[in-house]
mmCIF file of all heavy atoms in Angstrom:
data_model
loop_
_atom_site.group_PDB
_atom_site.id
_atom_site.type_symbol
_atom_site.label_atom_id
_atom_site.label_comp_id
_atom_site.label_asym_id
_atom_site.label_seq_id
_atom_site.Cartn_x
_atom_site.Cartn_y
_atom_site.Cartn_z
ATOM 1 N N LEU D 41 17.327 1.045 -30.972
ATOM 2 C CA LEU D 41 17.356 2.242 -30.127
ATOM 3 C C LEU D 41 16.151 3.140 -30.402
ATOM 4 O O LEU D 41 15.573 3.730 -29.487
ATOM 5 C CB LEU D 41 18.648 3.029 -30.392
ATOM 6 C CG LEU D 41 19.940 2.367 -29.907
ATOM 7 C CD1 LEU D 41 21.157 3.172 -30.366
ATOM 8 C CD2 LEU D 41 19.936 2.246 -28.387
ATOM 9 N N ALA D 42 15.766 3.221 -31.664
ATOM 10 C CA ALA D 42 14.597 4.032 -32.015
ATOM 11 C C ALA D 42 13.349 3.461 -31.373
ATOM 12 O O ALA D 42 12.489 4.187 -30.874
ATOM 13 C CB ALA D 42 14.440 4.086 -33.536
ATOM 14 N N GLY D 43 13.247 2.116 -31.385
ATOM 15 C CA GLY D 43 12.095 1.460 -30.758
ATOM 16 C C GLY D 43 12.041 1.738 -29.278
ATOM 17 O O GLY D 43 10.962 1.988 -28.712
ATOM 18 N N GLN D 44 13.192 1.690 -28.615
ATOM 19 C CA GLN D 44 13.238 1.979 -27.191
ATOM 20 C C GLN D 44 12.841 3.421 -26.905
ATOM 21 O O GLN D 44 12.164 3.714 -25.929
ATOM 22 C CB GLN D 44 14.646 1.709 -26.653
ATOM 23 C CG GLN D 44 15.012 0.230 -26.608
ATOM 24 C CD GLN D 44 16.454 0.018 -26.164
ATOM 25 O OE1 GLN D 44 17.148 0.961 -25.790
ATOM 26 N NE2 GLN D 44 16.912 -1.229 -26.220
ATOM 27 N N LEU D 45 13.276 4.334 -27.797
ATOM 28 C CA LEU D 45 12.945 5.744 -27.617
ATOM 29 C C LEU D 45 11.446 5.979 -27.753
ATOM 30 O O LEU D 45 10.838 6.682 -26.950
ATOM 31 C CB LEU D 45 13.706 6.591 -28.644
ATOM 32 C CG LEU D 45 13.448 8.115 -28.602
ATOM 33 C CD1 LEU D 45 13.846 8.661 -27.228
ATOM 34 C CD2 LEU D 45 14.205 8.818 -29.703
ATOM 35 N N VAL D 46 10.855 5.353 -28.774
ATOM 36 C CA VAL D 46 9.405 5.487 -28.971
ATOM 37 C C VAL D 46 8.653 4.925 -27.768
ATOM 38 O O VAL D 46 7.686 5.511 -27.282
ATOM 39 C CB VAL D 46 8.963 4.766 -30.262
ATOM 40 C CG1 VAL D 46 7.443 4.683 -30.336
ATOM 41 C CG2 VAL D 46 9.517 5.488 -31.483
ATOM 42 N N GLU D 47 9.111 3.759 -27.291
ATOM 43 C CA GLU D 47 8.469 3.133 -26.131
ATOM 44 C C GLU D 47 8.565 4.046 -24.905
ATOM 45 O O GLU D 47 7.610 4.208 -24.164
ATOM 46 C CB GLU D 47 9.128 1.785 -25.826
ATOM 47 C CG GLU D 47 8.458 1.042 -24.668
ATOM 48 C CD GLU D 47 9.126 -0.293 -24.394
ATOM 49 O OE1 GLU D 47 10.040 -0.657 -25.145
ATOM 50 O OE2 GLU D 47 8.726 -0.967 -23.431
ATOM 51 N N ALA D 48 9.743 4.643 -24.696
ATOM 52 C CA ALA D 48 9.943 5.538 -23.551
ATOM 53 C C ALA D 48 9.054 6.770 -23.667
ATOM 54 O O ALA D 48 8.471 7.227 -22.687
ATOM 55 C CB ALA D 48 11.411 5.953 -23.463
ATOM 56 N N GLN D 49 8.948 7.308 -24.903
ATOM 57 C CA GLN D 49 8.105 8.482 -25.107
ATOM 58 C C GLN D 49 6.639 8.148 -24.886
ATOM 59 O O GLN D 49 5.889 8.930 -24.300
ATOM 60 C CB GLN D 49 8.317 9.028 -26.520
ATOM 61 C CG GLN D 49 9.678 9.683 -26.715
ATOM 62 C CD GLN D 49 9.897 10.110 -28.158
ATOM 63 O OE1 GLN D 49 9.285 9.567 -29.076
ATOM 64 N NE2 GLN D 49 10.780 11.064 -28.350
ATOM 65 N N THR D 50 6.220 6.969 -25.344
ATOM 66 C CA THR D 50 4.842 6.528 -25.135
ATOM 67 C C THR D 50 4.554 6.384 -23.658
ATOM 68 O O THR D 50 3.511 6.808 -23.157
ATOM 69 C CB THR D 50 4.590 5.178 -25.849
ATOM 70 O OG1 THR D 50 4.869 5.338 -27.237
ATOM 71 C CG2 THR D 50 3.144 4.736 -25.672
ATOM 72 N N GLN D 51 5.496 5.767 -22.949
ATOM 73 C CA GLN D 51 5.346 5.583 -21.507
ATOM 74 C C GLN D 51 5.255 6.935 -20.809
ATOM 75 O O GLN D 51 4.433 7.136 -19.923
ATOM 76 C CB GLN D 51 6.546 4.798 -20.963
ATOM 77 C CG GLN D 51 6.444 4.434 -19.493
ATOM 78 C CD GLN D 51 5.568 3.222 -19.266
ATOM 79 O OE1 GLN D 51 4.972 2.699 -20.196
ATOM 80 N NE2 GLN D 51 5.470 2.786 -18.036
ATOM 81 N N SER D 52 6.107 7.876 -21.242
ATOM 82 C CA SER D 52 6.126 9.189 -20.628
ATOM 83 C C SER D 52 4.806 9.912 -20.837
ATOM 84 O O SER D 52 4.295 10.578 -19.944
ATOM 85 C CB SER D 52 7.290 10.006 -21.205
ATOM 86 O OG SER D 52 7.277 11.318 -20.707
ATOM 87 N N LYS D 53 4.251 9.801 -22.054
ATOM 88 C CA LYS D 53 2.993 10.463 -22.354
ATOM 89 C C LYS D 53 1.850 9.856 -21.533
ATOM 90 O O LYS D 53 0.902 10.538 -21.167
ATOM 91 C CB LYS D 53 2.692 10.356 -23.851
ATOM 92 C CG LYS D 53 3.614 11.215 -24.724
ATOM 93 C CD LYS D 53 3.278 11.033 -26.193
ATOM 94 C CE LYS D 53 4.206 11.872 -27.070
ATOM 95 N NZ LYS D 53 3.923 11.685 -28.515
#
Side-chain angles (χ1 to χ4, degrees):
L41 291 174
Q44 290 176 6
L45 179 60
V46 170
E47 183 180 356
Q49 289 175 336
T50 302
Q51 185 80 356
S52 176
K53 289 179 181 178

